[in-house]
Amino acid sequence: MIDKPETATRQPELQIIGAGFGRTGTMSLKTALEELGFGPCYHMSEVFLRPDHIAIWQAAASGETINWNALFANYQSTVDWPSCAFYEQLMRAYPNAKILLTVRDPENWYESVSNTIYQIHHRVGVSLLSRLLSYVGKAILTTMQPLMKQAFRMQTAVIWDGTFGGNFEDKQHALAVFARHIEEVKQKVPPKKLLIYNVKEGWEPLCAFLGVAVPEGKPFPRLNDRDNFVGTRRMQQVELLSGALILSLLASALIALLLFVRQKRESSRARNG
């Protein structure tokens, strides 16, 4: 049986702050932390489930003051972008929290980002909007565009511009940013509060750092590799759900039109009769 952290039930605040960039095993870490009792764990995937958070992260990227307690209400931990870009602010807001810095081979990290989230961000806008346009035309699509554009702007502000200065495609620049971030975290976080962690290390160093037992008989989660990238699956789900929603709206509109025509005919017959 796993020793669950007592503070996770007593304190409605973040216990763990992930400072590592996306594509350093953050989805696996999210799942692992939740298994260990530090859940729910915030992750970029949570943002897409809570569209009202998009504007908050956009405001954070603009330097506005954020009510972190409101944003992270009911969360015990956070990893991945967008929160890793604000780990210093979160450290000040949650001084008792421990810091996890996920790392991986820099070359592999760059290749992974290039082939997953960077590619998704730069191609999905055109492809998805074009696909939706083929379903419904401009009238219905205009109601969906603002939220989609807001999400793209937030990701650009936090990651591609805010972190990489709009120059992620320059590999050497991106690798330098990656390395500099790691060194800055090492310098700014007290050693006793920091774990520099590669998810390939598995449960032992993570559990030792957090003061909990290693789960018996459970392999460490290995999620979100390039071939099974959650962003790709999510966009496929979005497209499917969007198509289903659109068909539902069209069906409702057709039923409403038929009922209207029927009512008009009955009214006309009543007047003529």
Side-chain angles (χ1 to χ4, degrees), residues 82-183:
S83 63
C84 68
F86 304 95
Y87 78 93
E88 289 185 79
Q89 294 94 317
L90 293 176
M91 284 173 57
R92 290 192 290 270
Y94 304 101
N96 296 321
K98 294 184 176 182
I99 313 301
L100 287 175
L101 175 60
T102 43
V103 296
R104 68 182 295 188
D105 175 80
E107 293 282 341
N108 291 341
W109 167 82
Y110 183 81
E111 182 181 1
S112 176
V113 175
S114 298
N115 292 322
T116 54
I117 57 177
Y118 186 76
Q119 184 181 130
I120 290 289
H121 181 80
H122 286 79
R123 72 179 173 87
V124 72
V126 174
S127 64
L128 181 55
L129 290 177
S130 298
R131 185 165 183 174
L132 293 178
L133 185 62
S134 69
Y135 277 123
V136 298
K138 294 181 179 179
I140 295 178
L141 185 56
T142 52
T143 64
M144 304 174 64
Q145 281 181 319
L147 186 60
M148 295 172 66
K149 289 182 177 179
Q150 188 181 22
F152 296 149
R153 284 195 298 268
M154 181 275 289
Q155 290 177 308
T156 298
V158 173
I159 306 173
W160 312 119
D161 288 351
T163 301
F164 297 102
N167 198 23
F168 177 80
E169 291 186 3
D170 181 337
K171 180 178 179 179
Q172 295 309 312
H173 169 76
L175 289 174
V177 171
F178 181 71
R180 185 167 61 248
H181 175 76
I182 292 172
E183 291 307 311

Side-chain angles (χ1 to χ4, degrees), residues 20-23 26-27 30 41-51 53-54 57 72 75 77-86 117 120-121 150-160 163 224 229-231 234:
F21 282 175
R23 306 306 297 162
T26 51
M27 180 58 77
K30 166 183 164 68
C41 178
Y42 201 93
H43 181 278
M44 179 64 85
S45 58
E46 299 287 311
V47 180
F48 297 111
L49 299 176
R50 293 163 177 78
H53 285 194
I54 296 172
W57 289 113
F72 289 113
Y75 287 94
S77 55
T78 182
V79 298
D80 198 64
W81 280 305
S83 63
C84 68
F86 304 95
I117 57 177
I120 290 289
H121 181 80
Q150 188 181 22
F152 296 149
R153 284 195 298 268
M154 181 275 289
Q155 290 177 308
T156 298
V158 173
I159 306 173
W160 312 119
T163 301
N224 217 9
F229 176 51
V230 70
R234 185 171 298 282

Side-chain angles (χ1 to χ4, degrees), residues 2 4 16 25-39 41 77 197 199 202-203 206-207 210 212 215 219-223:
I2 302 172
K4 304 293 184 179
I16 299 167
T26 51
M27 180 58 77
S28 296
L29 180 59
K30 166 183 164 68
T31 305
L33 290 173
E34 290 175 342
E35 172 65 30
L36 295 173
F38 294 94
C41 178
S77 55
Y197 179 63
V199 293
W203 289 116
L206 180 63
C207 292
L210 299 177
V212 296
F220 189 87
R222 307 290 181 188
L223 303 174

